[in-house]
Amino acid sequence: MNGASFVSAGGIGNPGTSWNVKSFADLDGDGKTDLVWRHTDGTTYLWKMNGAAVSAFQPISNPGSTWQIVAP
């Protein structure tokens, strides 16, 4: 993705059924769409994307599985 424009497709592998993409947006202001992944146990990761490639990833937090991510 490049903002709201689709640029190309790529595979990110198979993280399994315990992980879900909960949000996607330009979260670091670089003009590229990033992904927020959440595990069923509450573990949450930010994947900073560069097109179809992951440029960096970092844990966000783990408040537990009872907390929910709410996108604006």
Side-chain angles (χ1 to χ4, degrees):
M1 301 294 291
N2 182 5
S5 302
F6 179 77
V7 176
S8 66
I12 57 173
N14 182 356
T17 59
S18 297
W19 287 93
N20 293 294
V21 173
K22 291 297 185 176
S23 183
F24 54 93
D26 178 10
L27 299 172
D28 60 358
D30 67 355
K32 298 174 183 166
T33 302
D34 304 306
L35 303 174
V36 176
W37 286 87
R38 184 129 192 251
H39 192 273
T40 53
D41 70 4
T43 303
T44 307
Y45 269 81
L46 167 62
W47 281 16
K48 295 179 182 179
M49 302 299 291
N50 184 10
V54 178
S55 62
F57 62 92
Q58 65 190 58
I60 296 175
S61 68
N62 185 351
S65 60
T66 58
W67 286 72
Q68 300 298 315
I69 295 172
V70 178

